[in-house]
């Protein structure tokens, strides 16, 4: 029994030092790969990351620690997170480990000189604190210096540089053809801000400011395969004065509130890392304060810094705020809806005047429009959008423009009475709402815009009072219908941008107005007159 006691006491004595001093773990990596790949040889002339992770796992209190790093002679520290020691190859940093299983990290870029010899070297990392000292020796291999690309003067060498900058892109870095190049759309919050000040509530501005207004794509080239963090600063520069223009912010500025950073820090700031790949792209979110940014033409200055060198590139930039025309389009559509609701009595009288044959004909033509326009567009619209992207509407516009106006004008030739066009559009919308569930406020407003615009133009042009429709007059009305549909297209696209917070470039809207509106609808109206005249002969016989 005594022997067992002495054996247990001996084992406990052996374990006691490790139990009393095992207060934190230290993990070190050099060269550290940002991509998670296994460590490779560090080429001379490159910059590599030293990564240190310290974990507190045997203490219920915070533990202050001091980290000391010793690198081979000739290597340089490129980080301000460590203080230089007595020698150039020694640096230190003070950290506090959170209680329990708290962790702290250090990522320190270290530059290898061009003339550093090939071979095997070591980095020594010592961590002191809480009565414990942990020493880690990291062996690494130095590869021969790789070929560098000379700069313009031939005296210096470029280790990394900006290959190109493009914006706006989406969060995945893809270019959207609907958006104008080098144009950033900023939400116009004037009306919402007035409403918020008058009635309160409804808008969480801190949440709104934390949403990116757009994204910028950086195309970087890293011939030496260096791995190091880069600070990115994106600023607006006034083209006339060259001064920094306010408006771009960064996430940390949103939290600072009043005061914020100094003028030299105006802009969107971010940190990215060179992963060691020769070619690399990074997507940077752009944050905007819509209250202080102004519309206009600027230069967008992109500055990248690794602590020792800066790379700057400028490109033209246009700041465009959501146009007030969107508000006007929404108000016009709302007025059209009110007009339709108030004219239900007139539509009811139109139904009585048409009689059973006319009502059945209107319903038949509306059903044909639903089956020949709405159904195909719904079924193949998404498929075409995958192939053609934003230009898929130019294909589906053949249906919504040509086919729809063939049916409409043929119906108007048969029954030339006020209210026929309104019944045509309303019945078509009702079929879409019932069979496809397309009931939305925007859909109702779009239908109201079509009803009011077409009916008003036909009344003003004297279409309903003409005894005979000459060829020249039919051509005039067809062109007028094309212009009407162009206007309807403009109002509807502005509504979509206003209600759904989308953005279409001016050239994109103009393209749809020209092709889908003027050309397709005019062609459809001309064909509709011809078909309607033949149908009228058949009905007369």
């Amino acid at each position: 029994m005594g022997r067992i006691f002495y054996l247990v006491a001996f084992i406990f004595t052996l374990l006691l030092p490790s139990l009393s001093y095992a207060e934190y773990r230290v993990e070190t990596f050099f060269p550290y790969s940002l991509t998670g790949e296994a460590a490779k040889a560090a080429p001379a002339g490159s910059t590599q990351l030293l990564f240190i992770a310290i974990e507190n796992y045997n203490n219920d209190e915070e533990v202050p620690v001091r980290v000391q790093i010793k690198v081979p002679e000739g290597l340089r520290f490129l980080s301000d997170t460590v203080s230089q020691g007595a020698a150039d190859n020694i640096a230190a940093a003070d950290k506090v480990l959170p209680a329990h299983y708290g962790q702290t990290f250090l990522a320190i870029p270290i530059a290898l000189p061009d003339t550093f010899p090939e071979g095997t070297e070591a980095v020594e990392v010592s961590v002191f604190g809480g009565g414990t000292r942990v020493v880690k020796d990291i062996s690494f291999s130095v590869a021969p210096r790789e070929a560098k690309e000379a700069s313009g003067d031939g005296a210096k060498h470029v280790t990394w540089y900006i290959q190109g900058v493009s914006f706006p892109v989406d969060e995945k870095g893809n270019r959207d053809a609907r958006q104008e190049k080098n144009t950033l759309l900023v939400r116009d919050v004037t009306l919402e801000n007035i409403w918020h000040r008058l009635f309160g509530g409804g808008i969480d501005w801190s949440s709104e400011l934390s949403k990116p207004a757009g994204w910028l794509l950086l195309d970087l080239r890293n011939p030496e395969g260096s791995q190091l963090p880069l600070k990115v600063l994106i600023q607006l520069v006034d083209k006339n004065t060259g001064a920094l223009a306010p408006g771009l912010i960064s996430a940390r500025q949103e939290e600072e509130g009043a005061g914020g950073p100094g003028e030299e820090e105006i802009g969107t700031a971010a940190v990215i890392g060179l992963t060691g790949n020769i070619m690399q792209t990074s997507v940077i979110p752009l944050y905007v304060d819509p209250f202080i940014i102004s519309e206009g033409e600027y230069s967008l200055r992109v500055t990248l810094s690794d602590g020792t060198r800066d790379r700057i590139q400028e490109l033209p930039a246009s700041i465009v705020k959501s146009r007030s025309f969107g508000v006007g389009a929404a108000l016009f559509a709302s007025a059209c809806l009110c007009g339709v609701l108030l004219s239900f009595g007139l539509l009811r009288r139109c139904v009585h005047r048409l009689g059973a044959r006319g009502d059945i004909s209107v319903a038949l033509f509306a059903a044909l429009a639903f089956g020949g326009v709405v159904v195909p567009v719904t079924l193949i619209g998404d498929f075409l959008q995958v192939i053609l992207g934003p230009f898929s509407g130019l294909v589906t516009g053949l249906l919504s423009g040509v086919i729809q106006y063939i049916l409409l004008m043929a119906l108007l030739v048969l029954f030339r009475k006020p209210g026929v066009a309104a019944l045509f559009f309303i019945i078509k919308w009702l079929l879409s709402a019932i069979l496809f569930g397309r009931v939305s406020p925007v859909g109702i407003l779009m239908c109201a815009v079509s009803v009011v615009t077409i009916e008003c133009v036909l009344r003003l042009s004297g279409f309903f009072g003409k005894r005979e429709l000459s060829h020249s007059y039919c051509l005039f009305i067809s062109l007028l219908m094309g212009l009407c549909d162009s206007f309807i297209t403009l109002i509807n696209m502005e509504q979509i941008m206003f209600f759904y917070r989308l953005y279409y470039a001016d050239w994109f809207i103009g393209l749809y107005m020209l092709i889908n509106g003027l050309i397709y609808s005019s062609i459809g109206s001309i064909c509709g007159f011809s078909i309607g005249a033949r149908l009228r002969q058949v009905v007369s016989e």
Side-chain angles (χ1 to χ4, degrees):
M1 187 69 180
R3 292 180 179 180
I4 295 175
F5 173 80
Y6 285 117
L7 179 61
V8 172
F10 177 74
I11 294 174
F12 181 80
T13 303
L14 293 177
L15 294 176
L16 184 60
S18 62
L19 292 175
S20 60
Y21 289 102
E23 295 180 343
Y24 46 81
R25 283 195 189 93
V26 179
E27 290 184 325
T28 55
F29 305 91
F30 184 80
Y32 179 71
S33 174
L34 294 171
T35 59
E37 300 175 353
K40 299 179 181 178
S46 67
T47 302
Q48 304 294 332
L49 276 180
L50 169 62
F51 185 79
I52 304 171
I54 310 171
E55 180 185 9
N56 183 5
Y57 73 99
N58 194 28
N59 201 313
D60 295 335
E61 299 178 354
E62 293 182 343
V63 179
V65 296
R66 182 171 181 81
V67 183
Q68 181 173 298
I69 306 156
K70 182 178 181 181
V71 298
E73 293 282 349
L75 272 63
R76 292 184 300 114
F77 297 96
L78 301 179
S79 174
D80 55 4
T81 59
V82 293
S83 56
Q84 202 70 37
D88 291 339
N89 65 326
I90 298 177
D94 293 318
K95 292 287 183 180
V96 176
L97 286 176
H100 305 291
Y101 290 91
Q103 293 180 321
T104 188
F105 306 94
L106 281 170
I108 305 166
I110 298 176
L112 284 73
D114 294 345
T115 57
F116 201 82
E118 181 182 359
T120 302
E121 298 288 344
V123 174
E124 180 183 291
V125 178
S126 303
V127 182
F128 308 87
T132 303
R133 178 187 180 190
V134 178
V135 180
K136 293 281 187 176
D137 290 321
I138 316 165
S139 297
F140 67 97
S141 300
V142 180
R145 175 179 172 272
E146 297 179 356
K148 298 179 182 178
E149 300 183 18
S151 62
D153 57 5
K156 297 181 180 180
H157 297 287
V158 178
T159 57
W160 57 268
Y161 57 87
I162 304 173
Q163 182 87 351
V165 179
S166 60
F167 87 100
V169 297
D170 60 17
E171 61 273 17
K172 296 181 180 179
N174 299 321
R175 180 84 172 86
D176 191 344
R178 293 174 297 181
Q179 299 183 350
E180 292 185 6
K181 188 178 181 182
N182 297 345
T183 299
L184 185 64
L185 180 71
V186 178
R187 179 180 175 186
D188 189 355
V189 297
T190 304
L191 295 178
E192 295 175 344
N193 190 33
I194 293 175
W195 180 276
H196 176 68
R197 290 180 180 274
L198 291 177
F199 303 102
I203 301 175
D204 183 1
W205 291 120
S206 61
S207 175
E208 291 296 326
L209 291 175
S210 64
K211 297 177 182 177
W215 286 267
L216 177 142
L217 179 67
L218 284 176
D219 189 4
L220 305 176
R221 185 167 175 82
N222 181 19
E224 294 176 344
S226 299
Q227 299 192 52
L228 71 162
L230 300 178
K231 180 182 178 181
V232 184
L233 184 61
I234 305 171
Q235 300 168 307
L236 287 176
V237 179
D238 191 296
K239 281 189 173 182
N240 298 323
T241 64
L244 294 180
L248 289 181
I249 60 175
S250 46
R252 59 181 178 82
Q253 291 177 238
E254 298 158 15
E255 298 173 358
E256 290 176 358
E263 181 179 339
E264 68 279 359
E265 290 297 327
I266 291 176
T268 295
V271 176
I272 61 175
L274 290 178
T275 59
N277 297 323
I278 294 179
M279 299 296 296
Q280 177 182 338
T281 57
S282 297
V283 180
I284 310 296
L286 297 175
Y287 297 94
V288 171
D289 188 339
F291 298 102
I292 62 176
I293 197 168
S294 300
E295 288 186 289
E297 300 295 325
Y298 298 89
S299 291
L300 190 71
R301 179 182 297 168
V302 181
T303 304
L304 271 69
S305 175
D306 62 5
T308 60
R309 62 178 66 83
D310 293 342
R311 297 284 181 262
I312 300 176
Q313 185 161 330
E314 291 192 5
L315 65 159
S318 300
I319 303 299
V320 178
K321 286 195 173 182
S322 301
R323 292 161 295 187
S324 57
F325 190 71
V327 179
L331 293 176
F332 176 77
S334 301
C336 291
L337 178 60
C338 293
V340 172
L341 295 175
L342 294 175
S343 64
F344 268 158
L346 299 175
L347 293 177
R348 185 177 180 182
R349 287 197 292 271
C350 177
V351 171
H352 289 301
R353 285 199 305 268
L354 289 174
R357 186 182 68 172
D359 296 337
I360 293 173
S361 299
V362 172
L364 175 62
F365 275 78
L368 289 174
F370 169 74
V373 178
V374 178
V375 174
V377 169
T378 303
L379 295 180
I380 67 174
D382 293 338
F383 176 74
L384 288 176
Q385 192 168 11
V386 172
I387 300 175
L388 301 177
F391 300 101
S392 61
L394 300 179
V395 177
T396 57
L398 288 169
L399 300 175
S400 59
V402 178
I403 303 299
Q404 176 170 278
Y405 277 85
I406 286 176
L407 295 171
L408 175 62
M409 296 312 300
L411 179 64
L412 287 172
V413 171
L414 289 175
F415 303 95
R416 200 148 27 105
K417 297 182 183 298
V420 171
L423 292 174
F424 174 83
F425 284 109
I426 291 174
I427 294 174
K428 181 172 74 73
W429 178 82
L430 287 174
L431 290 173
S432 301
I434 294 172
L435 298 179
F436 282 161
R438 290 194 165 187
V439 181
S440 66
V442 177
I444 297 173
L445 291 175
M446 292 170 70
C447 178
V449 170
S450 298
V451 168
V452 172
T453 303
I454 297 296
E455 285 287 346
C456 289
V457 168
L458 290 175
R459 283 176 179 268
L460 294 175
S461 64
F463 176 79
F464 299 117
K466 281 281 183 179
R467 293 185 178 181
E468 294 184 1
L469 301 176
S470 63
H471 292 291
S472 58
Y473 185 76
C474 290
L475 186 62
F476 166 72
I477 292 295
S478 298
L479 182 61
L480 201 59
M481 288 296 100
L483 294 174
C484 284
D485 197 52
S486 296
F487 176 74
I488 293 170
T489 301
L490 173 63
I491 295 297
N492 290 340
M493 295 186 79
E494 290 290 343
Q495 283 190 86
I496 291 172
M497 289 194 291
F498 177 76
F499 287 110
Y500 295 124
R501 300 301 181 190
L502 300 177
Y503 172 66
Y504 297 110
D506 291 338
W507 66 265
F508 186 79
I509 297 175
L511 182 66
Y512 266 65
M513 290 176 62
L514 175 64
I515 298 178
N516 280 25
L518 182 60
I519 297 177
Y520 287 168
S521 301
S522 297
I523 293 174
S525 298
I526 293 173
C527 297
F529 272 114
S530 177
I531 295 174
R534 295 179 183 178
L535 289 175
R536 191 170 185 178
Q537 291 178 359
V538 173
V539 172
S540 300
E541 294 175 358

